[in-house]
Every structure is written in C-alpha cells, then in structure tokens.
Amino acid sequence: MKEVTYKVSIHNPQATELTKLEKKSLVRYIYVGVPTADFVKTYGSDTRIQLDDAFAEAKEIGDFIINERSSMKESEQPLMTVSIKADKDTRMGVIADIKQELRRAYALKISYAATQRSN
Amino acid sequence: MAKKIPQINASSMADISFLLLIFFLVTTSMDVNQGLARRLPAPIPPDQKVEDKDINKRNLLVVKINSANQLMVQGQLMDVKQLREKAKEFIKNENNADYYPKLVEEDFGAPFGMIKYTKDHVISVQNDVDTQYQAYLDVQNELVAAYNELREECAQKYFHKAYKELEDDQQKQIQKIYPQKISEAEPKNYGN
C-alpha cells in the first residue's frame, strides 16, 4: 500500500527520534533516489527527484507545492507537511536544493522519512 | 439407543468470516509514515541582503560534516555517538562555564519559578555537498534526541510524569525552556 509507483529506488535511512505523520491528507511526498532498473536506460543512474508519478527537476518543486496546496482546504493549507523520502546514500547537495525550493514555496513543515533503528 | 447430538446451524459462518476478513483488510493501514520532523526557516526576500546575524561565539555550537561523513564539533573531530552528550552539555551549561552559552534567568510561572537557561544558544549544522544523507540524518537525529532527553528530564523533575503524558500547555512551557534551535547554513565545500 504505497501512494505511488516508485520510479526511483529508495532504501530508507534509519533514525530513532521519529514522529508519526498523523493526517495523510495533509502530507505530500517528494521521492529522491537513483532510477530503478527499468528507467536507468532512459534517465541514467544519477540521483533523480520524483513528484507524484513522474521524474522532475528541483525547480519544479515550487510549482508542485503551490498546486498541491491550492487543492487543499483553505483551513488545512498551513498544516501541509512535506515528507522527503530519500535514499540513504543520496548526496546532501540534492537534498539542499530541495530544501531551498521548499523554503521558497513556503512549505516549511517537513519530515525526513526514516525507519526506526532497532538498538 | 444413542442420543442424537443437536446440530448447530453453521451456514452463515462463511458469510460472517468473509465480512470480518474484508473489514480488517480495509481498516488496517500497513504503510506507517514516520519521519524526523523539522521546520525550515522562512525564505529571505530577494531584495533583502543576507546579513550575518551577530551571534556571540559562546552561544554557538558548530557541527560540521565533511564529504567523508566525518564530524567536527567546535573544531574537534568527534564520533556521532558522542554528539548527544556534547549537545546536552552545551544546551544546559550547568556549571556556568564561560565557553558554553550564557545563562539567562527568567520566570516561567508555576511550577517552574525562576530558572536559568541558555536563552540564545544556537546549534549550527553545516554539511558538505557530498555528505551522505544518512550521515546528515544521524546528526539531526542526535540533536533532536538531545533536546528530547532534556525535555524528558525537565518533565520528570517538575511534573513527575513522562513528557508524552503532559498536557499540551505543560509541554509548551517545557519547550520554552528548551527551545529547539538548530540552524542550517547553505552547503559549502569544506575541503576533501
């Protein structure tokens, strides 16, 4: 049961201080990782960003956020959370670009998706 | 003569079990969305100059992560595992050391009364473009853990309860004493 079909392969990073994302309708996702085997031929093996069902550039995040926000109820718009689902081996340069775009679009509530570390 | 055993009519069993099966299929959500919640700073308007906020050196804890995922805290090489203790020491500054943030005394109302706390401390995380995401999250995780542990200690001390079980306004009070101040600079290249 996932939100979309992944076009990038994501191995979740691990952490311990996790909080659950309560309301699913308030959460939007940004996927970051290397394209899966089917797409390596056309998209190469560099880290790519996936928004909804398609590959995207970091620049498109702003429009994506604004679009998604306008489709939400006005009262819920400030509560929007963006969950960044990135592969654990991603370089921070890509993440930093995404963060800058999110700041510019005023999507300041973010969550770095991770799985619970068992220790 | 053998006694006849009365039979139970079980024809509706299959229907009931199917209904139950479908009910649980629909109601369970398998994908739990968990993550490290953070808040980004508001963007700087394009016409405004980036001004370097003047932060007193003792109020600043600089954590740098280089491209090989090594950690440098206040100019010293450090393991991620030690970061939590270091951060807690820094945020608390129990001994009023002059190389840790300045203590400010303020009244937080009942049941806290006057408390000395490091009002203006800032933890600055700086990472390289080539830093691995997992290493960055590890650092963020340890810093959040440091704050969580301090808040937990505070909750135990003043309310004798776990932080999670406190009322919302009580949690807010504690958050005021230990405000999360993790700042992130733009990524730069810090050698190789």
Side-chain angles (χ1 to χ4, degrees), chain A residues 29 89-92 99 112, chain B residues 33 130-133 184:
Chain A
Y29 300 91
D89 292 320
T90 311
R91 291 162 64 245
M92 276 310 292
K99 284 199 316 206
Y112 300 112
Chain B
N33 280 309
D130 282 322
T131 305
Q132 200 194 353
Y133 184 52
E184 292 174 59

Side-chain angles (χ1 to χ4, degrees), chain B residues 10-187:
Chain B
S11 59
S12 59
M13 241 261 286
D15 300 320
I16 293 169
S17 32
F18 266 115
L19 271 176
L20 278 176
L21 179 71
I22 288 165
F23 175 76
F24 283 113
L25 264 184
V26 171
T27 50
T28 40
S29 68
M30 307 220 293
D31 190 39
V32 224
N33 280 309
Q34 293 188 117
L36 207 63
R38 303 254 9 108
R39 198 170 180 87
L40 296 173
I44 307 157
D47 53 335
Q48 191 186 322
K49 265 195 205 158
V50 186
E51 43 185 310
D52 280 328
K53 246 196 189 165
D54 194 29
I55 297 172
N56 200 329
K57 225 180 177 182
R58 62 182 284 197
N59 287 334
L60 193 65
L61 182 77
V62 183
V63 182
K64 287 181 183 174
I65 325 165
N66 74 358
S67 55
N69 303 333
Q70 288 164 315
L71 218 64
M72 192 150 100
V73 182
Q74 302 289 61
Q76 280 181 325
L77 213 61
M78 191 181 270
D79 196 79
V80 187
K81 287 172 192 140
Q82 297 164 283
L83 181 62
R84 191 184 304 194
E85 280 311 310
K86 179 82 180 173
K88 278 172 76 176
E89 238 178 83
F90 172 81
I91 300 161
K92 271 202 288 195
N93 189 14
E94 274 175 325
N95 303 324
N96 201 3
D98 58 2
Y99 46 87
Y100 281 146
K102 208 174 154 192
L103 287 169
V104 179
E105 202 165 13
E106 217 168 277
D107 191 7
F108 285 97
F112 304 101
M114 297 293 275
I115 283 186
K116 279 184 179 170
Y117 74 125
T118 55
K119 191 180 182 187
D120 300 313
H121 79 267
V122 174
I123 298 176
S124 162
V125 181
Q126 298 168 10
N127 56 270
D128 189 271
V129 181
D130 282 322
T131 305
Q132 200 194 353
Y133 184 52
Q134 175 72 63
Y136 168 80
L137 267 196
D138 282 342
V139 168
Q140 290 277 349
N141 189 54
E142 288 308 304
L143 295 177
V144 174
Y147 280 108
N148 284 351
E149 277 180 21
L150 287 174
R151 287 175 182 179
E152 189 64 51
E153 279 168 26
C154 188
Q156 291 291 355
K157 190 174 165 193
Y158 291 101
F159 296 109
H160 308 290
K161 263 192 197 170
Y163 179 70
K164 257 190 197 166
E165 290 164 17
L166 294 180
E167 306 288 330
D168 275 357
D169 50 329
Q170 292 175 329
Q171 287 193 358
K172 275 203 183 118
Q173 276 182 309
I174 293 182
Q175 281 170 25
K176 256 191 201 161
I177 303 175
Y178 294 120
Q180 266 193 29
K181 287 189 183 168
I182 305 173
S183 108
E184 292 174 59
E186 321 262 310

Side-chain angles (χ1 to χ4, degrees), chain A:
Chain A
M1 289 196 201
K2 46 195 169 183
E3 311 81 38
V4 293
T5 344
Y6 289 165
K7 289 188 172 176
V8 291
S9 73
I10 295 170
H11 299 282
N12 278 324
Q14 295 185 322
T16 54
E17 311 298 313
L18 300 176
T19 40
K20 271 187 192 148
L21 292 173
E22 293 296 349
K23 271 187 121 183
K24 277 196 173 171
S25 59
L26 300 177
V27 184
R28 295 295 179 272
Y29 300 91
I30 294 175
Y31 309 94
V32 187
V34 175
T36 51
D38 301 349
F39 296 98
V40 167
K41 246 188 191 168
T42 32
Y43 291 98
S45 52
D46 260 4
T47 302
R48 300 290 301 241
I49 301 166
Q50 183 188 345
L51 299 173
D52 279 339
D53 279 334
F55 287 109
E57 298 292 325
K59 280 180 217 150
E60 297 168 45
I61 290 175
D63 287 339
F64 169 75
I65 295 295
I66 289 161
N67 254 328
E68 292 292 330
R69 185 157 39 206
S70 62
S71 72
M72 289 164 72
K73 275 188 225 152
E74 209 175 324
S75 59
E76 290 183 339
Q77 285 178 1
L79 301 171
M80 183 169 84
T81 308
V82 178
S83 173
I84 300 177
K85 291 197 168 188
D87 190 90
K88 63 180 164 60
D89 292 320
T90 311
R91 291 162 64 245
M92 276 310 292
V94 183
I95 307 286
D97 288 347
I98 294 173
K99 284 199 316 206
Q100 288 301 326
E101 287 301 321
L102 288 176
R103 278 179 68 185
R104 226 163 281 160
Y106 267 94
L108 304 179
K109 266 183 81 167
I110 61 167
S111 161
Y112 300 112
T115 48
Q116 188 73 36
R117 194 197 324 252
S118 49
N119 58 357

